[in-house]
Amino acid sequence: MKKLILPAFVILMGAGAAFATKATTSKRAIVDAYRIDAVSGQCIDAEQKCSTTFGETCLWSADNATPLHQLSETMCGEELFKSN
């Protein structure tokens, strides 16, 4: 029984350290941001970069009110966030 406790403890510590390292080294994606034109409804390049990592909404620098989106295949897709 004692022979099993030490190896099990070492394995659990290693697994915990691996998960902790992965959580702190997650990479955020910085992507081109697009805005939805109010008149045409088209996706227009906002000429800004934003993050896909959840946080404060990334806003268009021209008016500081228009939320920016990631371009998907045919439309403005997911909302983007400020890259800190």
Side-chain angles (χ1 to χ4, degrees), residues 54-80:
F54 184 77
E56 189 177 344
T57 300
C58 191
L59 301 175
W60 187 31
S61 61
D63 68 2
N64 279 335
T66 305
L68 298 177
H69 300 267
Q70 186 173 9
L71 185 65
S72 67
E73 291 179 23
T74 58
M75 62 181 186
C76 285
E78 298 292 320
E79 192 171 282
L80 294 172

Side-chain angles (χ1 to χ4, degrees), residues 11-84:
I11 290 172
L12 288 174
M13 290 297 294
F19 283 116
T21 302
K22 180 148 178 88
T24 59
T25 60
S26 65
K27 295 181 181 181
R28 70 177 92 162
I30 304 297
V31 297
D32 292 327
Y34 294 80
R35 64 182 177 84
I36 300 172
D37 183 62
V39 176
S40 68
Q42 297 291 319
C43 256
I44 298 175
D45 188 353
E47 298 178 4
Q48 285 179 236
K49 300 275 187 184
C50 296
S51 174
T52 57
T53 304
F54 184 77
E56 189 177 344
T57 300
C58 191
L59 301 175
W60 187 31
S61 61
D63 68 2
N64 279 335
T66 305
L68 298 177
H69 300 267
Q70 186 173 9
L71 185 65
S72 67
E73 291 179 23
T74 58
M75 62 181 186
C76 285
E78 298 292 320
E79 192 171 282
L80 294 172
F81 308 97
K82 286 185 178 180
S83 57
N84 296 336

